[in-house]
Amino acid sequence: MAFDYDLFVIGGGSGGVRAARIASGEHGARVALAEEDRMGGTCVIRGCVPKKLMVFASSFRDGIAEARAYGWEVTARGFDWPAFRAKLDAELDRLEAAYRGGLERAGVTVFDARATLADAHSVRLATGQTVSAKHVLVATGGRPFVPEAAARAGVLTSNDIFRLDALPGSVLIVGGGFIACEFACILNGMGVKVTQLYRGEQILRGFDREARDHVAEHMREGGIDLRTGCGVAKIEAAPGGTRVVATDGQAAVFDKVVYATGRVPNTEGLGLEAAGVKLGQRGEVMVDEWSQTAVPSVYAVGDVTDRINLTPVAIREGHAFADTVFGARPVKADHALVPSAVFTRPEFGTVGLTEEAARAAGPIEVYATAFRPMRSAFAGRPERALMKLVVAADTRKVLGCHIVAPEAGEMIQLAAVAIRMGATKEDFDRTVAVHPVMAEELVTLRKPVRTA
Ligand SMILES: Cc1cc2nc3c(=O)[nH]c(=O)nc-3n(C[C@H](O)[C@H](O)[C@H](O)COP(=O)(O)OP(=O)(O)OC[C@H]3O[C@@H](n4cnc5c(N)ncnc54)[C@H](O)[C@@H]3O)c2cc1C
């Protein structure tokens, strides 16, 4: 049977765009892609990129204070959100155009429309058109989840923060995951009075416990009213804002409330189940290690599969799919030892096993140090950095590395290379320090602080 395309990609985000470009540009497949919103997806339009630019913008409050401590005479007149927003919008327009241009140059046909699966080999577009394809890739990502009562009260999600016309005076952030914590730090840095409620007993569930405690302590020291073990009991629109009663009985009116209580895969109304694609409990597309669904012609990559919801992982999965199916080069996306960063203040970089997970797997040694980095110590600031290695007692391999420090994301990227190569504690020790930098602590950790 002759198909209109070799591949139809639903979703123009990190995973979909990479798969389409590789399948078409490198392997010569006839490829089409449908995007219902802006090209580039979550990462480019309402995730990593605008968020990191906001992290930079928010960092200058402390930067200015630090400059003074170093002898600079500076007068800051406050943060001009509209000026920043205008530049942010222009940058996102530029990136969106670059993504679109990349697809066009690779020979991909783009449909600016919502697409749904009609059957194993055809896709229905919102324009009314139906097209056929030998393979379909579902790369529709995820979206913020907001409980009903909160939605009725008109709360915001992370999507809305980038589009605010003005910064609120006060904000309540509900949630304890990385997105909630990052926005708490960003808005705090921009001068907004931030309260954060999280019903769990500590933020950043799933990360290394010691690092979580370290980040939480610094967020509080930085001025965020972070209340853990405390959720929202009641929420309603009120004159001038949103009134929230917390489960500890405290009530307050906030200018804005942001819910960052998790994300759900975008599979609703996509026609997947009718076509035979299996979904998991949270609505995620179930795939095997080749990203293939229960329907052999249909594949899925990225957040919609709810494996590891990070941009570089979606890109790897999309690339591996394209090489496997169109390049006669079978590759599986590798989900082991994926490094990541949480852009809180201070930043947190992590790779490998947490101390808790490693301890459950076998005997370990923990090497850790918390210290005042030279730069902030000189400025009289109280922050401490945390550097931690989790080592297997028998093989001596470094199983995990956790860093809470300025630029921890940059440091963890390089530590991850060594750890992926199977570096032992002694390999770290043999590496001569770079002096004076924070990361030298990683190669000068002499005695374990704990064994288990
Ligand atoms: C606030 C925030 C901060 C983040 N920060 C980081 C970070 O610092 N580092 C990191 O690695 N990751 C980060 N992430 C996660 C990262 O953005 C995602 O993992 C990544 O974008 C997933 O890519 P994807 O291709 O699976 O989906 P997406 O990028 O979400 O793309 C899916 C696309 O499909 C489109 N679509 C959906 N349904 C249809 C349909 N039926 N028809 C047509 N188009 C459709 C959507 O409009 C969207 O453009 C962050 C996420 C958020 C929300």
Side-chain angles (χ1 to χ4, degrees):
M1 177 183 163
F3 295 105
D4 296 330
Y5 297 99
D6 298 319
L7 169 66
F8 197 102
V9 179
I10 308 180
S14 309
V17 167
R18 174 58 69 97
R21 282 180 47 192
I22 299 300
S24 175
E26 286 196 10
H27 303 312
R30 295 170 307 135
V31 180
L33 178 149
E35 170 53 57
E36 66 174 342
D37 196 323
R38 295 182 64 183
M39 197 60 78
T42 304
C43 171
V44 178
I45 306 296
R46 50 193 167 271
C48 333
V49 172
K51 173 200 76 186
K52 189 77 188 283
L53 291 168
M54 284 179 77
V55 168
F56 290 139
S58 70
S59 71
F60 289 100
R61 186 189 67 171
D62 289 352
I64 290 164
E66 209 171 71
R68 283 197 199 102
Y70 273 85
W72 287 87
E73 287 175 24
V74 256
T75 322
R77 288 205 302 266
F79 178 59
D80 185 347
W81 168 261
F84 169 74
R85 231 222 69 196
K87 286 203 72 178
L88 180 66
D89 288 349
E91 178 62 2
L92 299 190
D93 289 347
R94 187 188 70 78
L95 287 170
E96 184 181 5
Y99 268 74
R100 193 174 285 276
L103 284 169
E104 279 164 11
R105 277 192 301 282
V108 176
T109 305
V110 172
F111 294 95
D112 288 298
R114 179 172 170 80
T116 53
L117 197 65
D119 61 46
H121 289 288
S122 46
V123 169
R124 198 175 295 121
L125 291 156
T127 53
Q129 215 176 338
T130 299
V131 294
S132 64
K134 188 162 184 214
H135 299 280
V136 177
L137 179 69
V138 181
T140 50
R143 62 176 189 285
F145 165 76
V146 178
E148 232 178 86
R152 271 200 308 275
V155 302
L156 308 179
T157 68
S158 61
N159 291 350
D160 305 307
I161 295 184
F162 309 112
R163 296 197 296 250
L164 287 171
D165 290 328
L167 280 184
S170 67
V171 71
L172 170 69
I173 303 214
V174 182
F178 84 92
I179 294 173
C181 295
E182 289 178 339
F183 280 112
C185 294
I186 288 169
L187 292 172
N188 181 50
M190 289 179 172
V192 178
K193 186 174 178 306
V194 178
T195 306
Q196 184 180 353
L197 290 190
Y198 177 51
R199 65 178 178 200
E201 47 96 38
Q202 184 55 291
I203 56 167
L204 298 173
R205 188 162 59 90
F207 291 96
D208 184 83
R209 178 66 204 218
E210 192 175 5
R212 293 164 69 194
D213 291 345
H214 196 93
V215 173
E217 187 189 321
H218 281 73
M219 284 173 63
R220 289 192 178 104
E221 271 175 16
I224 295 166
D225 179 12
L226 168 61
R227 282 145 63 190
T228 48
C230 185
V232 171
K234 196 170 169 202
I235 180 163
E236 59 198 358
T242 307
R243 184 170 182 275
V244 176
V245 183
T247 49
D248 64 3
Q250 287 194 48
V253 175
F254 298 91
D255 290 348
K256 297 281 181 209
V257 176
V258 177
Y259 262 67
T261 45
R263 294 174 61 81
V264 287
N266 277 331
T267 47
E268 241 174 62
L270 267 190
L272 296 175
E273 282 176 300
V277 173
K278 296 269 176 296
L279 302 184
Q281 274 188 348
R282 304 188 62 244
E284 75 276 19
V285 179
M286 305 294 287
V287 288
D288 65 12
E289 52 195 0
W290 302 98
S291 297
Q292 191 172 30
T293 73
V295 177
S297 58
V298 180
Y299 288 72
V301 294
D303 285 9
V304 76
T305 62
D306 200 20
R307 286 176 279 182
I308 299 178
N309 297 334
L310 293 171
T311 286
V313 177
I315 289 174
R316 287 285 172 115
E317 289 168 359
H319 202 131
F321 154 78
D323 280 348
T324 302
V325 176
F326 301 101
R329 207 160 59 212
V331 243
K332 293 178 193 167
D334 186 348
H335 293 103
L337 287 171
V338 172
S340 66
V342 179
F343 296 98
T344 38
R345 190 162 184 85
E347 205 166 292
F348 171 26
T350 180
V351 63
L353 295 184
T354 63
E355 179 179 341
E356 298 72 42
R359 194 184 297 142
I364 55 164
E365 289 179 357
V366 177
Y367 296 82
T369 175
F371 60 97
R372 286 177 81 193
M374 190 178 187
R375 178 174 167 151
S376 45
F378 181 84
R381 302 180 61 83
E383 298 109 14
R384 282 169 308 117
L386 172 72
M387 306 260 166
K388 174 167 178 178
L389 295 177
V390 180
V391 177
D394 44 6
T395 64
R396 307 298 302 150
K397 276 196 178 164
V398 178
L399 302 174
C401 177
H402 312 282
I403 303 175
V404 185
E407 308 295 345
E410 305 288 347
M411 292 185 237
I412 208 70
Q413 180 70 81
L414 301 178
V417 176
I419 293 172
R420 268 216 72 116
M421 292 176 75
T424 60
K425 175 66 171 62
E426 285 64 37
D427 290 323
F428 272 70
D429 295 346
R430 265 194 295 277
T431 307
V432 175
V434 176
H435 185 72
V437 300
M438 288 177 286
E440 70 182 299
E441 297 291 333
L442 284 178
V443 296
T444 53
L445 291 164
R446 297 179 67 86
K447 289 212 174 88
V449 290
R450 283 183 292 285
T451 53

